[in-house]
Amino acid sequence: MEHHRAPRGRNRAAAISAAAVLLAAVGCSGGAKDDGGLTSGTADVSKLATQKLNWKACAAPTAAEGTGSAPSPPPGGGEWKCATMKAPLDYADPKAGTIDIALIRAEATDKDHRIGSLIFNFGGPGGSGVTTLPAAASDYGALRARYDLVSFDPRGVGASAPVQCENDSQLDTYFAQDATPDDAAKEKTYLDGLKSFAGACEDNSGKVLPHVGTTSAARDMDLLRQVVGDPKLYYMGISYGTELGGVYAHLFPKNVGRAVFDAVVDPTSDVEQGAIGQAKGFQLALDNFAQDCVNRGDKCLLRGANVKEVEDVIVKLLAQLNTKPIPAGNSGRLLGQTQATNGIAQALYSKEYWQLLEQGVDEAEGGNGALLLALSDAMNGRSKDGTYSNIQAANAAINCADFKQRYTLEQTKAKLPEFHRASPVFGDFMGWGLMGCSAWPVAGQWTTPDVSAPGAPPIVVVGNTGDPATPYQGAKNMVDKLGPGVGVELTYKGQGHGAYNSGDKCVQSAVNGYLLDGRVPSAGAVCQ
């Protein structure tokens, strides 16, 4: 769930780098004009496929990737190495020059039985793979035995020709504005904010905006496959990474090796259907959170004898914040309705964060919005020092480059009742998000992506029945659209976003069995 945008799910792992901020709680810069990794000259794609990568010790993340230090050594020994790969800015126009794609790798520990490179995309769109892979690496020890673990910042993201829009102080204002306007003055402020944001993106990153879509990123992955020397692509795509993987499989079905899609974006959903699906998904997750609270009785900080009563506490809090924001600790910042809704959604990405949601709502009821604001900041890529990664700028740019739909104010307002019925907590927020691309300077490519992949080998598609961000139905629809003999569905009856990273042994055994030994799970298998 992304602020002001037509959303697509982010993997739980994409928030791991923010988890330290949250759990320590509480306590990029946008708009920077530089070359953004752009180079001049002509891109010869065939020559780029044979380029040699210069792997070296990883530096600390760039501003656009988010603050932090260089990655700690991976579990199991060795070290993280980073490199940059040259890719065409525009695959249709090689004379437009190249961009740099940032890469990270931890080499396989059992080199005698190495299969190849397992390439990860953790979602977003807009998440940095270079920062997320080291943060999530403890989950992938079994896979690292026989694979080099490799990830990348997709074009427009992090250190790969990053899209830059507004600066940090402008983003603080942008993310604090009312994203569910309820009068004409607030509507004007909301629309003006969208126009200013899109204008800043065009001013600072106009050259890359037409070329950051998912199709170009999929072509980058095939280039990366060739550059690391693999005859086939070995891939784990999570959340938006499943859409990227589906587009790759459509473009290059014969180049797919072993691929796993986890937390599946529904390829049959257009912008509106996807947003409605997420509203229902987050509402389901909130219902599950509330039921857990009821089950714990007096041990839960939130009042309520049933799910509705617990959720009424949250609805009432959000209504109060709409008219009267509250202080966020001693930060000098305020928590309003939009940030609180955003923070609640962030905490629903993983069951591990439910305790933070409970504590955050309880503290906000008492007049302290610090924890909910920290959760919202994590969603928006804001570090404690006030700097932003470019995750939301990239998210907007990739979504708007992909999807054709552009919604007017009148169209959006007409759809709000349906959204509110889908979720009394998240519906309005998601409905207004339909306007995320309304002022965007670049046209979109599709209504829905084509992921049909006749001739591809089996692709394991993992759906989680309790997933808020990528509802379970998306996995079934991905299997159908990949085509006969390609998609193989595995169901996980769990909570949170994604399945493999939940730690469930059944899911991990099935996925590892396929990626390591080529054992295809039984179609329709269930882990619970």
Side-chain angles (χ1 to χ4, degrees):
M1 178 167 175
E2 283 81 15
H3 186 69
H4 294 338
R5 319 274 180 267
R8 280 181 274 183
R10 264 190 26 232
N11 172 29
R12 155 185 178 273
I16 287 179
S17 57
V21 178
L22 298 177
L23 296 167
V26 193
C28 174
S29 295
K33 288 195 177 184
D34 56 31
D35 67 0
L38 292 168
T39 57
S40 59
T42 296
D44 185 328
V45 180
S46 61
K47 286 185 178 178
L48 291 176
T50 61
Q51 65 187 287
K52 302 300 180 188
L53 298 175
N54 179 23
W55 294 102
K56 54 188 177 183
C58 296
T62 66
E65 287 175 313
T67 56
S69 54
S72 302
E79 59 184 325
W80 294 104
K81 291 289 185 71
C82 289
T84 56
M85 177 185 77
K86 298 288 185 187
L89 171 65
D90 181 355
Y91 279 90
D93 180 15
K95 292 182 179 179
T98 61
I99 56 175
D100 291 339
I101 303 295
L103 312 174
I104 191 167
R105 177 182 74 179
E107 292 186 290
T109 53
D110 183 358
K111 290 186 169 50
D112 291 340
H113 299 95
R114 178 182 177 277
I115 297 169
S117 294
L118 182 61
I119 296 172
F120 290 81
N121 180 282
F122 294 98
S128 165
V130 171
T131 59
T132 302
L133 181 57
S138 59
D139 291 336
Y140 304 118
L143 296 172
R144 189 186 167 207
R146 299 182 62 200
Y147 284 104
D148 296 347
L149 303 185
V150 176
S151 194
F152 63 106
D153 289 354
R155 53 177 57 218
V157 176
S160 298
V163 174
Q164 300 284 12
C165 298
E166 295 183 320
N167 63 35
D168 295 328
S169 62
Q170 290 170 323
L171 288 172
D172 274 345
T173 300
Y174 181 57
F175 290 130
Q177 75 183 37
D178 188 347
T180 56
D182 42 29
D183 61 45
K186 288 184 177 180
E187 287 174 7
K188 183 179 186 306
T189 300
Y190 178 72
L191 296 178
D192 287 347
L194 291 174
K195 290 175 184 174
S196 296
F197 183 85
C201 300
E202 184 174 24
D203 289 344
N204 292 318
S205 298
K207 187 173 180 181
V208 300
L209 291 184
H211 308 296
V212 297
T214 298
T215 295
S216 294
R219 294 189 182 282
D220 290 341
M221 282 211 304
D222 200 58
L223 181 62
L224 176 57
R225 172 193 66 78
Q226 297 171 74
V227 169
V228 297
D230 285 344
K232 303 282 186 181
L233 180 80
Y234 304 105
Y235 180 69
M236 182 176 282
I238 305 165
S239 197
Y240 160 76
T242 65
E243 183 173 298
L244 175 60
V247 171
Y248 178 93
H250 173 69
L251 293 173
F252 306 105
K254 303 296 188 188
N255 294 351
V256 176
R258 297 172 188 168
V260 174
F261 298 171
D262 183 9
V264 185
V265 174
D266 189 340
T268 69
S269 290
D270 62 20
V271 169
E272 181 182 344
Q273 293 164 336
I276 281 278
Q278 279 203 333
K280 292 177 179 177
F282 278 101
Q283 186 63 47
L284 173 63
L286 187 67
D287 293 346
N288 292 333
F289 161 81
Q291 185 62 58
D292 178 74
C293 187
V294 171
N295 293 345
R296 289 186 292 113
D298 292 342
K299 293 181 181 178
C300 181
L301 297 172
L302 306 185
R303 304 174 307 281
N306 55 50
V307 167
K308 184 178 186 304
E309 289 182 6
V310 173
E311 292 183 0
D312 282 346
V313 172
I314 294 173
V315 170
K316 182 179 177 182
L317 172 65
L318 292 174
Q320 292 170 341
L321 292 173
N322 189 38
T323 56
K324 189 177 181 182
I326 59 175
N330 300 318
S331 66
R333 300 169 69 206
L334 297 175
L335 175 78
Q337 182 191 52
T338 294
Q339 291 137 311
T341 308
N342 211 37
I344 291 166
Q346 170 69 17
L348 293 173
Y349 271 90
S350 171
K351 193 173 181 179
E352 294 170 15
Y353 295 166
W354 283 8
Q355 67 187 70
L356 294 176
L357 175 54
E358 180 183 331
Q359 180 185 342
V361 171
D362 180 62
E363 291 179 359
E365 277 199 291
N368 179 7
L371 183 48
L372 285 184
L373 186 60
L375 286 159
S376 180
D377 285 347
M379 179 79 88
N380 288 329
R382 188 187 195 271
S383 299
K384 284 202 290 185
D385 65 3
T387 59
Y388 284 85
S389 75
N390 90 318
I391 187 168
Q392 292 292 6
N395 177 269
I398 296 167
N399 276 331
C400 298
D402 281 349
F403 286 95
K404 289 181 178 180
Q405 297 93 322
R406 300 291 185 261
Y407 290 86
T408 66
L409 178 63
E410 292 71 22
Q411 288 171 329
T412 299
K413 291 172 72 171
K415 296 180 185 301
L416 291 178
E418 182 183 358
F419 276 86
H420 192 78
R421 286 193 297 272
S423 171
V425 175
F426 302 106
D428 290 348
F429 194 82
M430 305 297 286
W432 280 102
L434 293 176
M435 295 200 69
C437 297
S438 60
W440 203 253
V442 173
Q445 180 184 351
W446 57 51
T447 301
T448 58
D450 192 343
V451 299
S452 60
I459 295 172
V460 176
V461 178
V462 189
N464 178 351
T465 57
D467 197 314
T470 50
Y472 176 60
Q473 183 64 35
K476 295 182 179 298
N477 292 344
M478 177 66 81
V479 167
D480 290 343
K481 289 299 180 181
L482 286 170
V486 181
V488 178
E489 186 176 10
L490 172 67
T491 294
Y492 169 53
K493 293 187 175 180
Q495 301 297 330
H497 188 35
Y500 190 94
N501 293 108
S502 72
D504 183 79
K505 300 301 183 189
C506 172
V507 172
Q508 292 183 345
S509 176
V511 169
N512 293 349
Y514 181 55
L515 289 175
L516 295 171
D517 300 315
R519 294 197 307 270
V520 181
S522 301
V526 177
C527 290
Q528 55 188 337

